[in-house]
Amino acid sequence: MIDATILIPAYNEAAVIGRTLQHMSRGLPLNRFHIVVIANACTDATATKVLSAQPEATVIETDMPGKCNALNLGYQIASKDKPIICLDADLDVTFESLTALIKALRDSSIHAACGQMDVQTGDTSSVVRAYYKGWRTNPYFDKGKFGGLFVLSAKAARRVFPLPNVIADDEYIRRSFPSEEIAFVPECRFMARAPKTIGSLISVRRRSLRGTRALTKLGLPSPERGSPGTVAMRAFRNPSKALPIIVYAFVNAWARLSLVRNAGSVANDDLWERDLTTRSAG
């Protein structure tokens, strides 16, 4: 019996998708999880790498780009009466963490669950490392990271699918549920890799800002986030975090300013700015 379907949208992820699948599948009972990788508009060997790393996975190939389109295609063949796990193709997560997420849905009042994202910064620039130290102080992350990895109950998945064509797909799904229906599961931890350069970090932040701006235009309620005052108070209480928090605030301000400066030339909110510095085999 299938416990859940794992949807993994993948756009030109040949360098990292094997690592993700191998890391996740250690101990994973493949007869209980349906792994679906959606290779969307790939021009590399993503599909081949998937089948090499995980022959039991289902691979869907489409010429149409877009992460939301990929997730919609994957959901079409998923079990509609079982939870749906959404996982980015470049993250490391264990079977134990996935199981912890699913267990949170045993509470009938919970329809979505997320875990704690750790960020690997060992091979990044000093500014990027400082940014993520400051990033971690934001109270918003005290309740986990709803992005990159989360699980939806079968009922919740039916509520949000098919997804509209938006940049901030994770945030769209998060905003589709009141906070009391979303559980934070500390036992679930997953690893992301930070952009290696400040330029790539700025691109990622711009994409995030454009995505949330577009959702606000759609009228979706914005979840509570840590205010600048709250973040500043944490710096005051712990002076060792003051410099990283300043870097964190500066990078975010820089990203916002660059969006304003490029408003005339970058008028398309669908523009996808992607970090390529972490797309390397490891």
Side-chain angles (χ1 to χ4, degrees):
M1 178 177 291
I2 295 295
D3 288 354
T5 299
I6 304 173
L7 301 182
I8 308 177
Y11 167 62
N12 285 347
E13 300 285 11
V16 297
I17 188 66
R19 178 183 64 200
T20 297
L21 291 172
Q22 289 170 3
H23 196 90
M24 178 187 69
S25 62
R26 292 172 189 151
L28 183 75
L30 297 175
N31 61 326
R32 289 168 45 196
F33 288 84
H34 184 195
I35 302 172
V36 181
V37 180
I38 311 94
N40 61 103
C42 292
T43 57
D44 66 359
T46 293
T48 301
K49 293 288 186 179
V50 170
L51 294 175
S52 175
Q54 193 54 262
E56 295 85 356
T58 298
V59 179
I60 300 174
E61 294 187 76
T62 176
D63 293 331
M64 183 178 294
K67 186 178 175 183
C68 288
N69 174 65
L71 288 170
N72 288 338
L73 290 175
Y75 183 67
Q76 287 179 9
I77 67 169
S79 299
K80 302 301 187 294
D81 60 344
K82 298 295 182 180
I84 300 293
I85 296 173
C86 297
L87 172 66
D88 282 359
D90 60 338
L91 300 178
D92 291 349
V93 64
T94 64
F95 158 62
E96 290 79 9
S97 285
L98 295 181
T99 301
L101 273 187
I102 295 174
K103 286 181 179 179
L105 300 179
R106 292 177 179 175
D107 184 337
S108 60
S109 66
I110 298 299
H111 294 294
C114 64
Q116 179 70 57
M117 185 172 81
D118 299 315
V119 182
Q120 186 181 94
T121 60
D123 56 352
T124 65
S125 71
S126 58
V127 174
V128 172
R129 287 196 297 274
Y131 172 87
Y132 278 101
K133 287 181 181 178
W135 174 84
R136 181 59 68 191
T137 66
N138 193 322
Y140 174 74
F141 299 111
D142 292 347
K143 297 181 179 180
K145 178 69 168 70
F146 198 100
L149 170 65
F150 54 88
V151 66
L152 302 174
S153 69
K155 181 179 179 180
R158 291 193 296 269
R159 188 191 306 181
V160 299
F161 282 98
L163 301 173
N165 184 26
V166 295
I167 295 176
D169 52 286
D170 294 347
E171 185 68 11
Y172 171 84
I173 293 173
R174 175 186 172 87
R175 294 190 188 192
S176 297
F177 303 96
S179 59
E180 60 268 20
E181 293 184 3
I182 302 175
F184 166 43
V185 183
E187 296 81 11
C188 172
R189 302 188 76 95
F190 59 101
M191 177 70 71
R193 290 164 178 79
K196 294 182 180 180
T197 65
I198 184 62
S200 191
L201 175 59
I202 291 293
S203 294
V204 170
R205 291 302 305 141
R206 277 198 302 255
R207 184 188 73 206
S208 176
L209 290 169
R210 282 200 314 276
T212 54
R213 181 178 64 186
L215 294 183
T216 300
K217 289 180 180 178
L218 291 176
L220 291 174
S222 177
E224 292 184 7
R225 298 184 181 275
S227 67
T230 304
V231 176
M233 184 58 67
R234 289 193 171 191
F236 178 77
R237 292 173 179 170
N238 191 341
S240 66
K241 295 181 179 179
L243 181 58
I245 288 174
I246 291 172
V247 173
Y248 169 73
F250 176 77
V251 169
N252 287 335
W254 185 359
R256 289 188 175 89
L257 179 60
S258 65
L259 278 182
V260 173
R261 291 175 57 190
N262 294 330
S265 58
V266 187
N268 183 4
D269 277 347
D270 292 332
L271 178 65
W272 184 266
E273 291 184 274
R274 188 186 196 211
D275 169 40
L276 296 178
T277 64
T278 56
R279 263 65 183 188
S280 59

